[in-house]
Amino acid sequence: MKTQNSSSNHALVLGASMGGLLAARILSEHFAQVTIIERDPVTSAPESRKGQPQTRHLHGLLASGLNTLTHYFPDLPQALEANGAIVQDFAETMHWHTYGGFRKPFHMGLRAALMSRPLLESLVRERTLARTNITLRDNTAVKGLVPNPERTKVIGVEVERRGASTTNETITADLVVDATGRGSRTPQWLTELGYTAPQESEVKVNVGYATRLYRRDPNDPLGRSWLLSTPEAPKESRFGAIFPIEGDRWILSTGGWAGDHAPTDEESFNAFVRSLPNTDIYRIVSYSEPISEIVSHKFPANLRRHYEKLARFPLGYLVLGDAISSFNPTYGQGMSSAILQAAELDKILSDDSTAPERLAHTFFVAAAKVVDIPWQLSVGEDFRFPQTTGPKPAGVDLINRYIAAVHRATQTDTVVGEAFLKVMNLLEPPTSLMTPRLMWRVWKANRPARTGARIPAPA
Ligand SMILES: Cc1cc2nc3c(=O)[nH]c(=O)nc-3n(C[C@H](O)[C@H](O)[C@H](O)COP(=O)(O)OP(=O)(O)OC[C@H]3O[C@@H](n4cnc5c(N)ncnc54)[C@H](O)[C@@H]3O)c2cc1C
């Protein structure tokens, strides 16, 4: 075993996916040197790696995530478009069918980027690694933490370098950030060092995804539209979405809650797509040439690790992204949550008054505030299904009845539509939907007389 020279002012980021890359970009302004350690081999091409199998499935980036990424990588929207992605108004171009109808389109000026997750990540990676003080060490798996003799501080990690032969090494650093995703081993590593593992909240949903790529005719009149179908739960349990992405392709992901998963054989997959209430999704599938196999992914549960509640935590160590919380992916919040957490870290590191011994707690409290909102939104929606199990937030059934009415109101009222999209994009808190003015509009839009009885009143 060899030991790399201890460099003062060196930060280590574990994991080179969306959370790790942005964390490294941010740390590069606060540390002389930043090293990213990634278990998989990484190339410069857009790729789905073994360590992030979810990236083969449809990934939408919320406006809050895109805005924050653009703050750190100002040319990102242009680079996305130059590579064939579509950046356009969220409210104008999204054909979203839910609760028996389509949300009314309108101009909002809220940018959405439609691309494959590997393209987005490759552009973020390229820009991160272009910074001269960031190095990526791929093919290198983190095996454990290295503490100081008193076990009060993490001073590095033990890694296994994979290649023709396997070598073990210790890499030292002043700060280590775990961005290894949902499978993070920090809870075990903490107990090995004599600390308590964080309490976990788990809300089981048993969601399954199946995804396929299709060729997209650039002259297709629907070719810049993105179509969604989400269920009127619990009587419906299936979702589907088809987005135009780079390379003149469509990406279609479909599936359902509570075990209602899409099959991966062609005939049954097509029948599943045909069963979606937004029939335009199947229409596109029926005239487009499939160009990939059908791949599946199972998502068992929303998972949250409450690092903010720990009384003791080692110095020089943080956790970020899916390693803190992973949400039911159908709401498209995971990347934006990781991005917003990284931006909180930037704020805290920029504040000279944060003493090193307060860093972890201050960060975990800020990250928990970021996570609270997507957690509340996704877990709240998931509890519409009676099969969902886990800690149920107080009052969620009542809130869900109101949100169902909000969904219906977005079919006719663009003021409600705008307020709802801001919440969904993590730009405003859910309480912004509860103002008297908005509740009045929601009530009005749900009155059978006004809507021609097309939209049933909330139960
Ligand atoms: C089916 C599906 C669809 C989704 N759709 C969306 C969507 O539409 N929009 C959205 O915003 N989010 C979506 N998500 C969530 C999104 O993929 C995650 O939130 C996001 O990838 C989290 O990034 P991360 O960097 O925290 O972790 P991850 O992306 O999980 O990356 C962890 C990285 O750490 C590496 N690693 C792991 N262990 C080690 C180790 N011991 N040593 C070194 N490296 C290691 C892995 O190889 C990997 O590169 C979806 C998720 C799923 C499952």
Side-chain angles (χ1 to χ4, degrees), residues 14-21 37-40 49-52 54-55 57-62 117 121 140-143 179-183 185 189 209 297-299 320-323 325-327 329-338:
L14 319 181
S17 186
M18 197 53 79
L21 290 171
I37 311 284
E38 170 56 51
R39 188 171 52 194
D40 289 341
R49 295 182 278 98
K50 192 173 165 211
Q52 24 137 261
Q54 78 274 20
T55 58
H57 299 269
L58 182 143
H59 268 65
L61 179 61
L62 300 180
R117 160 74 188 261
E121 194 170 307
T140 304
V142 180
K143 303 309 266 183
T180 57
R182 184 181 169 109
R185 292 178 56 209
W189 291 339
Y209 264 61
H297 189 98
K298 295 212 188 335
F299 183 89
L320 177 145
D322 268 24
S325 188
S326 102
F327 317 95
T330 52
Y331 311 110
Q333 307 175 122
M335 292 190 293
S336 297
S337 167

Side-chain angles (χ1 to χ4, degrees), residues 12-123:
L12 268 180
V13 177
L14 319 181
S17 186
M18 197 53 79
L21 290 171
L22 185 58
R25 154 71 184 82
I26 285 167
L27 292 171
S28 72
E29 288 193 8
H30 301 280
F31 288 78
Q33 194 62 43
V34 180
T35 308
I36 311 173
I37 311 284
E38 170 56 51
R39 188 171 52 194
D40 289 341
V42 178
T43 72
S44 59
E47 57 185 0
S48 279
R49 295 182 278 98
K50 192 173 165 211
Q52 24 137 261
Q54 78 274 20
T55 58
R56 299 178 79 184
H57 299 269
L58 182 143
H59 268 65
L61 179 61
L62 300 180
S64 53
L66 180 60
N67 291 349
T68 306
L69 271 185
T70 307
H71 170 78
Y72 291 106
F73 307 107
D75 71 333
L76 186 67
Q78 291 79 1
L80 281 165
E81 284 189 300
N83 281 276
I86 298 176
V87 180
Q88 60 188 2
D89 190 291
F90 210 101
E92 212 160 27
T93 54
M94 182 176 59
H95 298 270
W96 182 1
H97 188 285
T98 194
Y99 286 84
F102 281 94
R103 195 192 48 81
K104 190 172 178 181
F106 60 97
H107 179 78
M108 191 174 165
L110 198 62
R111 275 184 315 181
L114 305 173
M115 73 271 123
S116 70
R117 160 74 188 261
L119 174 66
L120 174 67
E121 194 170 307
S122 70
L123 296 175

Side-chain angles (χ1 to χ4, degrees), residues 392-423:
K392 188 171 177 176
V396 78
D397 293 335
L398 190 67
I399 293 170
N400 279 346
R401 280 212 290 278
Y402 175 64
I403 298 297
V406 171
H407 277 297
R408 292 188 187 99
T410 64
Q411 296 167 5
T412 51
D413 187 326
T414 58
V415 174
V416 178
E418 178 163 348
F420 178 74
L421 287 184
K422 283 185 181 162
V423 172

Side-chain angles (χ1 to χ4, degrees), residues 123-414:
L123 296 175
V124 169
R125 188 170 58 235
E126 181 184 44
R127 278 152 187 74
T128 301
L129 298 182
R131 294 179 75 85
T132 50
N133 61 343
I134 301 182
T135 315
L136 169 65
R137 293 185 57 176
D138 65 346
N139 250 329
T140 304
V142 180
K143 303 309 266 183
L145 302 179
V146 178
N148 63 356
E150 301 78 27
R151 300 195 161 209
T152 52
K153 185 174 192 303
V154 171
I155 57 166
V157 293
E158 278 170 16
V159 300
E160 183 183 87
R161 165 98 187 128
R162 295 159 177 191
S165 63
T166 300
T167 49
N168 293 322
E169 194 182 324
T170 298
I171 307 177
T172 57
D174 303 284
L175 179 68
V176 177
V177 178
D178 174 12
T180 57
R182 184 181 169 109
S184 155
R185 292 178 56 209
T186 292
Q188 295 95 296
W189 291 339
L190 283 177
T191 49
E192 282 162 23
L193 295 188
Y195 291 81
T196 310
Q199 190 190 319
E200 292 189 351
S201 299
E202 196 182 35
V203 174
K204 292 195 178 132
V205 288
N206 191 8
V207 162
Y209 264 61
T211 295
R212 194 171 211 189
L213 297 167
Y214 298 84
R215 201 175 303 287
R216 179 168 55 95
D217 178 352
N219 300 315
D220 184 340
L222 277 176
R224 289 180 71 87
S225 315
W226 41 315
L227 293 86
L228 269 84
S229 198
T230 54
E232 181 170 349
K235 71 174 188 187
E236 298 164 352
S237 55
R238 296 183 173 183
F239 69 88
I242 190 162
F243 287 8
I245 59 167
E246 76 279 1
D248 292 329
R249 294 176 297 167
W250 293 106
I251 184 165
L252 163 69
S253 283
T254 189
W257 275 254
D260 187 13
H261 301 171
T264 51
D265 71 282
E266 174 138 6
E267 198 179 323
S268 320
F269 177 81
N270 286 344
F272 193 97
V273 177
R274 198 165 48 227
S275 74
L276 295 171
N278 183 349
T279 51
D280 287 338
I281 299 179
Y282 181 69
R283 196 151 68 83
I284 293 176
V285 165
S286 63
Y287 65 67
S288 304
E289 180 196 347
I291 49 173
S292 79
E293 55 184 332
I294 302 165
V295 291
S296 64
H297 189 98
K298 295 212 188 335
F299 183 89
N302 295 288
L303 178 66
R304 184 168 182 182
R305 300 188 175 112
H306 295 278
Y307 287 103
E308 75 282 4
K309 292 190 181 160
L310 288 177
R312 271 180 77 236
F313 199 79
L315 294 170
Y317 193 60
L318 297 175
V319 186
L320 177 145
D322 268 24
I324 290 189
S325 188
S326 102
F327 317 95
N328 178 345
T330 52
Y331 311 110
Q333 307 175 122
M335 292 190 293
S336 297
S337 167
I339 291 164
L340 296 173
Q341 289 170 39
E344 287 301 318
L345 178 59
D346 193 13
K347 279 190 223 155
I348 293 166
L349 291 174
S350 303
D351 178 358
D352 292 338
S353 67
T354 314
E357 59 276 14
R358 298 292 306 156
L359 176 64
H361 185 69
T362 309
F363 171 70
F364 288 136
V365 168
K369 282 195 183 131
V370 169
V371 168
D372 276 346
I373 292 182
W375 181 265
Q376 202 180 325
L377 293 173
S378 56
V379 163
E381 281 292 318
D382 289 337
F383 271 111
R384 289 185 190 277
F385 295 96
Q387 299 92 333
T388 300
T389 56
K392 188 171 177 176
V396 78
D397 293 335
L398 190 67
I399 293 170
N400 279 346
R401 280 212 290 278
Y402 175 64
I403 298 297
V406 171
H407 277 297
R408 292 188 187 99
T410 64
Q411 296 167 5
T412 51
D413 187 326
T414 58

